[in-house]
Amino acid sequence: KVQVVESGGGLVQAGESLKLSCTVSGFTFDNYAAAWFRQAPGKEREEVACISWSGGATNYKDSVKGRFTISRDNPKNTLYLQMNSLKPEDTATYYCAAAGAGYYNVKTNILKCSDFDYWGQGTQVTVSS
């Protein structure tokens, strides 16, 4: 049975940090790229960060570059998102997803994750001003 479970969300003040974790089981995690998404009330879901299967390549949404870091520990089947200098506009439900495809463009140095096969239920992050 496939399971994808996020944890680590909470209520923090602007400027503080949180670290999200996503533990998976039921499939071979290191065969997949992976990503964090978020969805705020009334808004569409957006990709925040993406990481290759090995962890050697990453990509970030412009608004989180320099503040968020995506990483993974394949032996532990776990994906992470370190979020620093949080802002009220980061408030959302955060989801992790396993991507069946990850394409790295060597000309643009951009990693593109796609074919998201497995999703978690989400963890709420609320940043107060």
Side-chain angles (χ1 to χ4, degrees), residues 30 32-33 51-57 72 74:
D30 53 8
Y32 289 79
I51 189 168
S52 62
W53 68 271
S54 67
R72 63 191 296 164
N74 285 341

Side-chain angles (χ1 to χ4, degrees), residues 3-121:
Q3 289 190 310
V4 180
V5 181
E6 302 96 337
S7 62
L11 171 63
V12 297
Q13 293 188 331
E16 294 185 339
S17 299
L18 278 176
K19 186 173 185 177
L20 306 184
S21 299
C22 173
T23 302
V24 309
S25 60
F27 63 98
T28 305
F29 182 53
D30 53 8
N31 282 351
Y32 289 79
W36 287 96
F37 287 78
R38 68 186 181 188
Q39 187 168 21
K43 296 188 177 181
E44 293 188 353
R45 185 174 59 194
E46 59 182 7
E47 183 178 313
V48 174
C50 169
I51 189 168
S52 62
W53 68 271
S54 67
T58 58
N59 194 55
Y60 296 92
K61 178 180 174 61
D62 284 346
S63 62
V64 307
K65 284 181 181 177
R67 300 189 297 121
F68 289 12
T69 303
I70 188 171
S71 62
R72 63 191 296 164
D73 186 334
N74 285 341
K76 292 184 177 179
N77 287 338
T78 303
L79 179 72
Y80 302 101
L81 185 68
Q82 176 68 47
M83 305 185 294
N84 299 329
S85 302
L86 282 161
K87 303 176 181 180
E89 51 264 43
D90 295 319
T91 294
T93 301
Y94 284 70
Y95 302 88
C96 72
Y103 173 69
Y104 184 76
N105 188 318
V106 295
K107 292 183 179 180
T108 62
N109 293 325
I110 293 177
L111 173 69
K112 174 67 176 176
C113 293
S114 63
D115 301 340
F116 295 99
D117 295 331
Y118 305 116
W119 292 83
Q121 294 300 307

